[in-house]
DNA sequence: TCTTCGCACTCGCTTGCCCGGAGTGCTAAA
DNA sequence: TTTAGCACTCCGGGCAAGCGAGTGCGAAGA
């Protein structure tokens, strides 16, 4: 039956879509009369009432209390997002505005990531956050071991996005500045251009030993590479938390507390988007799908940004379940696109 | 008259102190009867009433409305903090706890600063933030110019706290890797150990030209040093915003919005503590002293942390005006002390 | 002269109540 | 199967009353 959408006949689907749309727009539970008055449904409010009762029985709608209008459930939003809403595209002028604003950031990885988070937060009027590129997707460009004393030095690793990670090391045996230069050159010759995650400990050790160094230096080199690999892992720029206060659903201060806490624990924030790395497309999580009772009346829109073909990080918008999904998906995609472009400016070739 | 404190006779001073103390404890406007019942003042409530009326006339107390108790004004808090409250010290066990928790952070500047902010936020039950060491107070340790191509490279600057700042540069004339090494060595020889702010552009240019480089390289070197000097300037770690929600003064959501916005604009946050750099001691700003109507019912406790003798950064607690000043000063000082100690672990010698 | 007592008054907060409005479900008719 | 009509439910705003905590002031006491 081509008249069915997700097990709902055409009319039910349309009514569900209208209820969700209206609720997103107004924030008020929507009743049958209001619906028939505002939208031309071609049927009376009584019919709508019956259909709404069915939709409630099917789990798509909920009633805050008897004699109140209906409100979409998680399933209702889900159906809306998956099958009912019409996708949006950004206008040319909006794209241009995004591009212009992204130009304000200097060509530094941190700055463009932070700028994109600020921009998205402001445009979306919600909390936005952007994960920095996973360092395992970055490739190794240069290593430089700097001599400080006979038995100590600093190792500096430069990756494809110019992120220099540095680590101090101490040795058991004396070395000369020349020794360190030799090793730096060997590392550069062997690993330049390789993905960081492919610079495994074994080959690092092999190269180091080949240059005539002992286990202490092997440890130092390994620490430097691990540092580069893990350091920026859960680095996240977040922005726009104040917009959440505008939402009526945050009258209750307890919800706010959960959000603030999560914002400060970057770990949790990262977990929210972690599984989005598995699928390279945009994803939407609604209410309980976020896997936490605290976040049950929020939704999360996540869109990857890319470097070349590879998805290297995520842009997310966290807001009330009652969010304009199509619009936010468009905004996130647009910002992701521009961020992806600007990533080339920071690339170390 | 040795019986006077700040223009108040002894009894008035005591009553003011008690009112502030009680209001800080309960958050309720305090009336004359309640005061005589809870504290042994040796006089009747009527007398207290008269004294309170005088204190109100003098600007130390305020009345939210007739027939309500009194509440301290900015001036009341100010007198309390300056002259009336008894300073607190941390207990030995508390000190130990702070030290233990600070040990959890790895020996990286960012980590120990963030850890101290988290720790202070949690202990103080308020929003805490810590500025990273001003880079102009750090000294230059190493420069390394890395050859990427004939006309481009990366400049890496390592400062006394191990913060490596890096900047890409492009040149108009070809250079060899050896050229860059020569220049790196010259910079190291001339500037090692100097404070960053003393590495002025003129002497940098002189050294660069002495090595036979042109204006393009002078520009690259200058950019690298300026980057190191300004990059981390307003770097701030903040933590504990959720505690503000517990305070009854934040029932009103609008105040919260100001705070969240300020938190995201690190610039404003930095301005709040900027003038604390002039005086090396702990400082307290109360209400309107913060210079902004939005922050008028907040107070800020700021304590410097040091590297050697030099104050290099600030720990601050931002919370409701009604905060336990003595306690928070003790906590901030204790944390500052431990942070100062740990700073030596990250020093690059 | 300072302190205390007693008293009238003020004002915000809570409670209880009423009522209108919006919405529902059910039944019966089209 | 749809629609009209109707009784019922429930929320929320508005209003008045009562309570409690506190004040200010005049008069009495030390």
């Amino acid at each position: 039956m081509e008249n069915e959408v997700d097990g709902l006949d055409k009319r039910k689907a349309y009514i569900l879509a209208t209820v969700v749309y209206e609720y997103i727009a107004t924030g008020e539970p929507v009743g049958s009369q209001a619906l028939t008055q505002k939208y031309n449904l071609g049927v009376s409010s009584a019919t709508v009432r019956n259909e709404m009762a069915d939709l409630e029985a099917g789990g798509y709608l909920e009633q805050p209390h008897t004699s109140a209008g209906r409100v979409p459930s998680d399933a209702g939003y889900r159906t809306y997002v998956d099958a009912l809403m019409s996708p949006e595209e950004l206008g040319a002028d909006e794209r241009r505005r995004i591009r212009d604003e992204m130009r304000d950031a200097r060509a530094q990885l941190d700055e463009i990531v932070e700028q994109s988070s600020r921009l998205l937060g402001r445009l979306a009027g919600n909390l936005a956050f952007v994960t920095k590129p996973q360092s395992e997707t970055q490739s190794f460009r240069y290593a430089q071991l700097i001599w400080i004393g006979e038995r100590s030095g600093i190792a500096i690793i430069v990756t494809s996005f110019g992120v220099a990670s540095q680590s101090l090391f101490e040795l058991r045996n004396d070395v000369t500045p020349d020794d360190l230069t030799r090793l730096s050159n060997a590392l550069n010759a062997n690993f330049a251009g390789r993905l960081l995650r492919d610079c495994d400990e074994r080959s690092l050790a092999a190269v180091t030993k080949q240059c005539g160094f002992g286990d202490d230096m092997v440890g130092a080199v390994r620490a430097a590479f691990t540092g580069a690999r893990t350091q920026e892992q859960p680095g996240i720029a977040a922005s726009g938390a104040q917009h959440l206060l505008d939402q009526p659903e945050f009258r209750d201060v307890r919800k706010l507390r959960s959000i603030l806490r999560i914002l400060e624990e970057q770990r949790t924030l990262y977990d929210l988007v972690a599984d989005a790395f598995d699928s390279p497309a945009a994803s939407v999580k609604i209410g309980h799908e976020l896997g936490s009772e605290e976040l049950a009346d929020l939704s999360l829109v996540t869109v990857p940004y890319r470097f070349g073909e590879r998805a290297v990080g995520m842009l997310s918008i966290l807001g009330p379940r009652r969010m304009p999904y199509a619009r936010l998906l468009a905004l996130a995609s647009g910002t992701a696109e521009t961020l992806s472009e600007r990533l080339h400016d920071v690339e170390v070739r």
Side-chain angles (χ1 to χ4, degrees), chain A:
Chain A
M1 326 206 176
E2 61 166 19
N3 283 347
E4 292 205 352
V5 177
D6 200 26
L8 300 173
D9 66 46
K10 219 165 175 174
R11 194 171 66 187
K12 279 202 177 56
Y14 185 61
I15 289 180
L16 174 56
T18 321
V19 169
V20 177
Y21 184 86
E22 178 70 8
Y23 182 63
I24 286 175
T26 66
E28 300 289 313
V30 2
S32 53
Q33 317 187 46
L35 212 58
T36 43
Q37 275 162 26
K38 277 185 103 165
Y39 301 86
N40 189 9
L41 298 176
V43 290
S44 79
S45 69
T47 310
V48 174
R49 260 200 304 282
N50 290 330
E51 295 287 48
M52 281 167 113
D54 285 0
L55 285 167
E56 183 172 355
Y60 297 96
L61 294 179
E62 285 167 356
Q63 224 175 349
H65 57 86
T66 14
S67 88
R70 302 311 210 286
V71 157
S73 67
D74 280 0
Y77 282 116
R78 171 52 62 201
T79 309
Y80 177 75
V81 167
D82 287 347
L84 303 178
M85 75 182 182
S86 38
E88 281 189 35
E89 290 281 328
L90 293 187
D93 47 339
E94 285 184 305
R95 284 176 190 282
R96 195 164 354 98
R97 277 251 314 272
I98 293 180
R99 194 153 294 147
D100 285 351
E101 296 225 29
M102 282 295 285
R103 243 193 286 277
D104 292 348
R106 285 187 302 175
Q108 294 263 60
L109 183 63
D110 284 6
E111 282 212 29
I112 64 174
V113 167
E114 277 161 26
Q115 177 75 356
S116 60
S117 130
R118 268 195 299 271
L119 185 55
L120 187 55
R122 186 152 42 82
L123 293 177
N126 270 299
L127 173 62
F129 59 93
V130 181
T131 66
K132 294 183 186 168
Q134 288 198 299
S135 16
E136 9 172 272
T137 68
Q138 298 181 34
S139 43
F140 167 73
R141 279 288 135 58
Y142 299 100
Q144 184 80 40
L145 302 169
I146 301 178
W147 187 90
I148 296 187
E150 281 77 19
R151 297 194 171 182
S152 61
I154 301 179
I156 287 178
I157 307 279
V158 178
T159 69
S160 42
F161 291 134
V163 174
S165 103
Q166 31 115 26
S167 58
L168 267 154
F169 59 83
E170 306 277 338
L171 301 174
R172 285 195 299 278
N173 305 306
D174 289 4
V175 290
T176 66
D178 279 351
D179 289 337
L180 294 183
T181 308
R182 207 156 34 80
L183 178 53
S184 304
N185 291 339
L187 290 170
N188 290 333
N190 278 280
F191 294 102
R194 236 195 250 191
L195 283 182
L196 267 181
R197 68 166 155 227
D198 296 338
C199 300
D200 55 303
E201 306 202 343
R202 195 169 317 163
S203 24
L204 287 172
V207 170
T208 310
K209 288 196 169 163
Q210 221 169 332
C211 289
F213 292 98
D215 285 341
D216 49 352
M217 186 56 101
V218 170
V221 168
R222 186 191 324 161
F225 274 79
T226 334
R229 196 157 47 221
T230 62
Q231 182 195 31
E232 294 291 324
Q233 227 259 16
I236 295 180
S239 171
Q242 79 263 26
H243 296 301
L244 292 177
L245 298 177
D246 297 330
Q247 313 293 348
E249 26 269 284
F250 285 100
R251 295 277 167 70
D252 181 359
V253 183
R254 281 171 301 174
K255 311 219 162 139
L256 219 52
R257 193 192 330 253
S258 323
I259 306 273
L260 288 185
R261 193 152 35 74
I262 285 171
L263 259 181
E264 286 178 8
E265 286 171 26
Q266 302 222 323
R267 179 82 224 148
T268 322
L269 215 49
Y270 192 82
D271 287 345
L272 284 181
V273 301
D275 52 354
F277 278 104
D278 300 337
S279 78
S283 91
V284 175
K285 287 196 184 182
I286 297 163
H288 288 88
E289 297 171 9
L290 287 167
S292 146
E293 206 51 46
E294 283 187 325
L295 304 175
D297 39 31
L298 298 178
S299 282
L300 180 75
V301 165
T302 303
V303 165
Y305 64 93
R306 298 164 200 288
F307 184 67
E309 291 301 302
R310 189 189 305 278
V312 295
M314 295 287 166
L315 283 89
S316 297
I317 302 171
L318 186 66
R321 244 177 352 167
R322 184 178 75 72
M323 57 162 64
Y325 291 94
R327 168 85 183 146
L328 297 191
L329 278 166
L331 281 171
S333 305
T335 311
E337 208 174 285
T338 314
L339 172 56
S340 302
E341 287 168 17
R342 283 236 51 189
L343 226 40
H344 290 278
D345 298 346
V346 300
E347 190 197 1
V348 176
R349 257 177 305 264

